[in-house]
Amino acid sequence: MPTLIEKPKQVAYGHFLLRIESGTEHSAPGQFINIRTSRQNDPLLRRPFSIFNHERTVMSIVVKSVGRGSEILSQHPPGAIDAIGPLGTGFTLAANRRVLIAGGGVGNAPLFYLIKTLAGLHCDITYLYGVRAKELVYLPEQYKRHSNRFIITTDDGSEGTRGYATDVASELAAGGGYDMIYTCGPLPMMRAMVEAAKSTPVEVSLENYFGCGIGICSGCSIETADGLKRACVSGPVFNGSRINWDSMQDIY
Amino acid sequence: MNLSIKIKDLVLKNPVTVASGTAGYGEELSHFIDLSKLGAIFTKGLTLQPRPGNRGNRIIETPAGVLNSIGLENVGLERFLSEKLPFLKQAGATVIPNVAGHSVEENVELCRTLSSLSEIGAVELNVSCPNVKEGGIIFGTDIGLFTNLVEKARTVTRCALIVKLSPNVTDVGQFAARAEAIGADAVSAVNTFLGMKIDIRRKKPYFGNTVAGLSGPAIRPLAVRIVYQIYEAVSIPVIGLGGIASFDDMLEFIMAGATAISVGTMNMVDPGISIMLIEKFGIYMESEKIGNMHEIIGIAHSPGGLSEECP
C-alpha cells in the first residue's frame, strides 16, 4: 500500500502538499490518484487528486481543505494511505512547442507536473497562475523555475496582476503564436480559455464530481461532441473544443 | 470447500455477487478482480435501445452513503449481446443481466431474448423503473402493476427469474410473496431508497430528476430489516443487499435470511471487496465448522416470528 512519507505540509492558506511513496515510477501529467479518507465509511467515497509532481516513486498532490474528506487528508498522519492510481488520461506531450498554460486556484496542481515535463521537452512555456488572493499562491518559485514567462494574477490585486488569469490569457491567446494551450481550474475559466483560443488546440483537465473514479458508476459523465464520456476514465483531460460547455452549467 | 448455492437450476459458485449498476459490464472491475471468482455479476440495468441517462448532476455523497440519479445509462440490448456478454463469458463470469424496461412490453422482450441464450442462467427484473405507458408509476410500488409485470415476465422467461424489489413501499414482504406466488425463483432486496438533496445555493433540487436513489452503509439497517421480513414471507432464495461493507455485514444479511448477497456501492470505494468477502466466508465456514451454508441462513429468526411490539 502507498505510504505518506511525512505529515502534510501547508504550502498556502488551506492548501497542503502530501508526498506519497507510490511504489511506481509510471504516471503521466494530468492523471490522478483516488484516496480513501476514512476506514469507517464516512466520508464514504474516495477523493480524486491530480498528481502535482512525480519523482522516481514519490508522488505528490496538493490538497485544498474544503470539506470533511480533504480536511482529514490535510491532517493525515505519516504511514499507510489508501490511494488507487494513477488513473485517467494525461495531457498530450510534444517537444519544442510554444505553449500557453493557465491554472486557476488548486487547478494549478496538475499543471506543475505538466510544465516540468514540457520544460524537459524544450517547450517554450508561458504560465498564468490565477488565484483569488496572495495567500492562496502555493510554491510559485517552483512554477517559475520551469516557465519561460510566469505571471501571477489575483482577483484583488494583492499579488501580481489584478484580474482573472483568463483576461490575460485571452489577450495572449488572441495574439496567436501558440501551438498548444492547457488549462485547469474553475469551469468558467476553462470555458473562457477554449473560447479565446480560436484555432489553437486547448486541453482542459476537468474537476467535476467523481463517484468511483474507476469508470463503474457513470456518475461523472459529461456531454461531448463524441457523446457522453465518463470524466474519470475518458478524462480528466479532454480536448476543450469537444466539450458541450452549456451542458456543464449545472454540474459541480 | 464448497460454497456454492442454487437459484432454480443456476449454480453460483459462492454467495457473493456484485450488484447491478455498481459493476458496469465488468470491464472496469476486471482491472481489480478476477470476475470468474464471483458468485455472479449483475450487469447494469438494460433497456432495448441504448439510453444516455440523465443530464446534469448524477451523484453525490451523503453521510455514509451515496445518492445517485444516473438515469439507467446503458448500451442497449444489441451492444450488450455483441460486446459486453462475450467479454464477460471470456472472463469466466456468471452473468445475470438486470432487465430495466420502461413498459411491460419492453421488459417482456428483454426477458424473452436474454433467457433464450445458453450463456444466461438467470435474469433479474428491475421493477424500480417507471411504467411510461401508465403515467410513470413505478412498477414495483403498485401491487397491481407489479403483478401484471411479473406474470408477463415469468411467462416468457425460460431461465431463472429474480425479481429485484423496491424498498419504497410499506410492506416489501407482500411484494415478495406475490413474486413467489407468480413463480419467481428468487428475489433481490433491496434496490435504492428514494432520497433527495436540496442545493441550498441554487435553492432547488440538486438532481434534475428531483429525487435520487440512496445506497451505501447508510441504508444497511433498513435493508437487513427488509430481508428479515421477506424471509418470513417467502421460501424462495433472497439475495440480500444494501450497504454491505465488511464480512460482518454480509453475515448479518445471511442470518437475516439471505441465501446470497450483493456488494453494491462499496465496489466504488473498494473494488476488491467482493473477493475479500469470498475469502473470509470460506475461512468462517471452516473455523465455525459449518458444513452447509443453509445452517446459518435465517438463523436469527426466532420461532415466534416478528415481534408485534412497538420498537
Side-chain angles (χ1 to χ4, degrees):
Chain A
M1 179 167 289
T3 309
L4 184 66
I5 295 169
E6 63 209 2
K7 71 178 201 201
K9 181 183 167 199
Q10 185 161 359
V11 288
Y13 178 81
H15 291 64
F16 298 83
L17 183 74
L18 274 65
R19 295 180 67 234
I20 296 165
E21 172 51 59
S22 68
T24 179
E25 292 186 13
H26 303 285
S27 74
Q31 286 193 296
F32 68 96
I33 57 174
N34 216 11
I35 304 181
R36 190 173 180 182
T37 63
S38 168
R39 301 296 302 174
Q40 277 69 50
N41 302 321
D42 191 34
L44 180 65
L45 299 176
R46 288 174 184 270
R47 302 292 194 261
F49 294 93
S50 293
I51 300 168
F52 168 77
N53 197 4
H54 195 174
E55 287 176 329
R56 286 181 295 279
T57 57
V58 178
M59 272 185 201
S60 43
I61 58 170
V62 176
V63 174
K64 181 183 176 189
S65 186
V66 288
R68 283 195 310 139
S70 50
E71 194 181 326
I72 290 169
L73 272 183
S74 70
Q75 295 160 11
H76 199 293
I81 186 165
D82 189 349
I84 297 179
L87 300 168
T89 56
F91 291 105
T92 302
L93 304 173
N96 305 310
R97 304 294 170 94
R98 272 177 64 87
V99 302
L100 177 63
I101 300 184
V106 75
N108 281 290
L111 302 176
F112 177 72
Y113 188 14
L114 174 67
I115 59 169
K116 209 185 91 176
T117 308
L118 290 178
L121 292 169
H122 313 291
C123 288
D124 179 274
I125 297 165
T126 301
Y127 197 104
L128 295 162
Y129 189 115
V131 281
R132 275 190 287 117
K134 181 181 183 179
E135 62 267 26
L136 302 172
V137 178
Y138 57 84
L139 307 166
E141 294 308 317
Q142 295 204 31
Y143 283 84
K144 206 169 178 177
R145 191 183 316 148
H146 295 291
S147 307
N148 298 83
R149 282 157 295 281
F150 179 73
I151 302 162
I152 290 177
T153 65
T154 51
D155 297 3
D156 61 359
S158 54
E159 172 99 26
T161 308
R162 183 188 185 119
Y164 294 139
T166 37
D167 297 339
V168 182
S170 301
E171 223 166 278
L172 290 172
Y178 296 100
D179 301 312
M180 189 79 190
I181 297 173
Y182 302 92
T183 181
C184 181
L187 283 175
M189 170 184 176
M190 294 193 284
R191 181 178 193 164
M193 287 301 298
V194 172
E195 283 164 3
K198 302 205 170 65
S199 59
T200 310
V202 185
E203 284 191 341
V204 304
S205 178
L206 296 181
E207 298 188 306
N208 56 323
Y209 202 97
F210 288 180
C212 64
I214 52 176
I216 59 178
C217 77
S218 295
C220 62
S221 292
I222 58 150
E223 294 177 30
T224 75
D226 311 299
L228 275 181
K229 297 285 175 194
R230 292 163 295 177
C232 69
V233 287
S234 295
V237 175
F238 286 93
N239 175 339
S241 65
R242 307 297 289 172
I243 290 173
N244 176 350
W245 291 98
D246 286 334
S247 75
M248 302 289 285
Q249 293 272 335
D250 289 330
I251 293 184
Y252 280 81
Chain B
M1 172 172 278
N2 180 15
L3 301 177
S4 69
I5 58 139
K6 275 185 87 171
I7 295 171
K8 200 185 174 191
D9 300 326
L10 175 67
V11 177
L12 307 188
K13 52 182 86 74
N14 62 65
V16 178
T17 70
V18 288
S20 177
T22 63
Y25 308 101
E27 288 134 323
E28 295 82 11
L29 215 49
S30 73
H31 299 311
F32 298 91
I33 62 170
D34 178 353
L35 299 175
S36 73
K37 289 192 172 164
L38 294 173
I41 172 171
F42 288 87
T43 53
K44 208 163 184 348
L46 196 60
T47 51
L48 281 176
Q49 300 304 323
R51 279 176 65 93
N54 292 333
R55 302 187 70 178
N57 292 316
R58 291 178 159 201
I59 200 158
I60 195 164
E61 187 179 74
T62 66
V66 170
L67 272 173
N68 89 78
S69 174
I70 308 294
L72 276 173
E73 175 181 344
N74 79 93
V75 298
L77 180 62
E78 201 179 308
R79 266 186 71 197
F80 177 77
L81 296 178
S82 65
E83 290 174 28
K84 307 302 181 184
L85 190 56
F87 166 81
L88 285 161
K89 295 316 288 187
Q90 176 87 34
T94 300
V95 186
I96 303 180
N98 178 283
V99 166
H102 288 59
S103 66
V104 173
E105 295 76 13
E106 185 178 14
N107 282 307
V108 161
E109 183 64 30
L110 286 160
C111 286
R112 190 202 316 271
T113 307
L114 291 164
S115 69
S116 69
L117 303 170
S118 61
E119 303 99 301
I120 290 172
V123 296
E124 182 182 59
L125 181 63
N126 179 349
V127 298
S128 295
C129 300
N131 181 354
V132 293
K133 294 199 176 160
E134 308 251 355
I137 300 168
I138 308 292
F139 286 109
T141 59
D142 179 293
I143 194 75
L145 286 177
F146 175 84
T147 302
N148 182 42
L149 173 65
V150 178
E151 278 175 354
K152 299 268 167 53
R154 176 69 280 178
T155 307
V156 299
T157 304
R158 295 188 216 170
C159 63
L161 176 67
I162 303 167
V163 178
K164 185 167 189 176
L165 300 168
S166 166
N168 302 306
V169 296
T170 309
D171 181 6
V172 187
Q174 181 199 9
F175 286 77
R178 183 61 58 87
E180 181 180 39
I182 295 168
D185 301 298
V187 291
S188 295
V190 293
N191 211 322
T192 55
F193 285 78
L194 274 188
M196 196 171 171
K197 164 94 183 163
I198 305 289
D199 180 341
I200 56 169
R201 200 162 52 84
R202 294 189 168 108
K203 303 184 179 68
K204 62 181 188 181
Y206 177 80
F207 294 103
N209 201 33
T210 312
V211 294
L214 182 65
S215 64
I219 69 164
R220 191 170 61 237
L222 299 166
V224 171
R225 182 262 301 168
I226 289 172
V227 167
Y228 190 98
Q229 286 176 321
I230 293 173
Y231 185 78
E232 302 265 324
V234 303
S235 49
I236 51 176
V238 182
I239 299 157
L241 71 158
I244 293 174
S246 70
F247 179 63
D248 289 2
D249 299 343
M250 169 173 162
L251 274 184
E252 273 201 64
F253 276 84
I254 293 170
M255 291 180 181
T259 297
I261 61 96
S262 293
V263 177
T265 301
M266 289 309 288
N267 290 317
M268 295 165 53
V269 179
D270 179 4
I273 185 176
S274 49
I275 301 301
M276 179 275 284
L277 293 178
I278 295 165
E279 284 163 6
K280 287 202 172 169
F281 187 55
I283 294 167
Y284 177 82
M285 296 278 280
E286 208 153 294
S287 66
E288 297 288 313
K289 299 187 174 54
I290 300 164
N292 186 322
M293 186 189 163
H294 285 89
E295 292 169 34
I296 54 167
I297 295 171
I299 199 171
H301 290 255
S302 59
L306 284 173
S307 167
E308 286 166 9
E309 297 298 316
C310 294

